[in-house]
Amino acid sequence: MKLYDCQGAPNPRRVRIFLSEKGIEIPSVDVSIVDGDNLKPEYLAVNPRGMLPTLELDDGTRIDEVPAICTLLEAEHPEPPLLGTTAVERALVLSWDRHMELDGMNAVGEYFRNSAPLFADRVVVGRAGDAQIPALAERGRRSIDVFFDRLEARLAESEYVAGPRYSLADITALCAIDLAGFASVPLPDDRPQIRRWYDVVNARPGVCA
Ligand SMILES: N[C@@H](CCC(=O)N[C@@H](CS)C(=O)NCC(=O)O)C(=O)O
């Protein structure tokens, strides 16, 4: 097994934290998004969408999309469970992980990619040639606040994002919040439930992964 990874990028980080929580070590190849290596023919031969992460199995099968990669890892390494243990738990983790990606990661991405000079010509993930649109940066910034509002409400009723147990949904939320911080949108002070939860999940050993 081999992981095509990118240090500093939030979606590969979701897989690194997942691996670390499981105590799994696998070889990895770092593909620099900043240097545009994900758009070069060598990596497009691995993943034609130019996105990271990608997991390559020993027989050459390649799997992308974080939830799919984590589903395989969970099946092969069930302990500790990070995707739920019953049908209902599994559905809830999948649902909340999607919320964290669509409401959180995508909102931060829309803001950051439409405003950061680094992405001036690379606003769409996995390709080059698209110009930034300031109105989309503004919309993304508003969507980050909606994400914070929704997460605050969820964590007022639930210890972790998907329920009483730590899961992939927490990993995705943490990575989205840390990306927002990197994009100069820190967690506001008036979100006590998110802060309570963040301090717990950010203290787990795997978060540095
Ligand atoms: N839905 C995808 C998202 C993957 C994604 O957006 N990856 C980013 C890194 S965080 C990427 O490949 N960026 C390439 C680029 O910026 O060109 C997943 O779950 O893996």
Side-chain angles (χ1 to χ4, degrees):
M1 226 181 232
K2 179 165 76 178
L3 181 69
Y4 289 90
D5 195 356
C6 176
Q7 290 296 322
N11 283 294
R13 184 178 180 224
R14 290 163 74 195
V15 173
R16 285 199 304 277
I17 295 176
F18 194 91
L19 286 165
S20 172
E21 288 281 346
K22 297 264 182 198
I24 309 169
E25 284 185 23
I26 60 174
S28 66
V29 178
D30 200 77
V31 179
S32 170
I33 292 174
V34 170
D35 293 342
D37 291 344
N38 62 309
L39 304 180
K40 293 181 178 161
E42 294 80 1
Y43 185 67
L44 293 176
V46 172
N47 184 331
R49 296 168 78 227
M51 294 187 203
L52 290 139
T54 301
L55 184 70
E56 186 173 277
L57 308 186
D58 292 342
D59 69 358
T61 303
R62 292 178 181 131
I63 300 169
D64 65 358
E65 294 295 321
V66 174
I69 293 171
C70 293
T71 296
L72 179 90
L73 295 170
E74 178 104 340
E76 296 191 345
H77 303 268
E79 295 298 328
L82 295 172
L83 296 180
T85 55
T86 65
V88 171
E89 273 180 26
R90 278 193 286 274
L92 283 169
V93 170
L94 187 58
S95 167
W96 281 102
D97 183 60
R98 295 284 292 158
H99 295 192
M100 296 305 103
E101 179 165 2
L102 297 173
D103 294 355
M105 203 71 88
N106 286 4
V108 184
E110 184 169 65
Y111 168 66
F112 192 37
R113 296 190 77 105
N114 280 286
S115 54
L118 170 66
F119 294 118
D121 186 45
R122 294 182 52 190
V123 77
V124 179
V125 175
R127 69 182 201 220
D130 299 281
Q132 292 175 322
I133 301 174
L136 289 182
E138 287 168 27
R139 186 179 73 180
R141 182 63 189 82
R142 286 195 301 278
S143 297
I144 295 173
D145 284 337
V146 173
F147 166 59
F148 286 153
D149 287 345
R150 289 178 177 169
L151 185 56
E152 180 71 12
R154 173 58 177 167
L155 291 171
E157 62 179 23
S158 180
E159 185 176 356
Y160 291 101
V161 172
R165 215 184 299 197
Y166 180 82
S167 75
L168 176 62
D170 297 287
I171 296 173
T172 303
L174 178 83
C175 291
I177 288 170
D178 285 350
L179 179 65
F182 185 72
S184 303
V185 186
L187 190 56
D189 288 336
D190 61 347
R191 301 294 198 284
Q193 297 297 337
I194 302 180
R195 177 58 60 192
R196 182 261 310 154
W197 161 89
Y198 185 90
D199 288 346
V200 171
V201 296
N202 193 45
R204 296 177 74 96
V207 295
C208 294

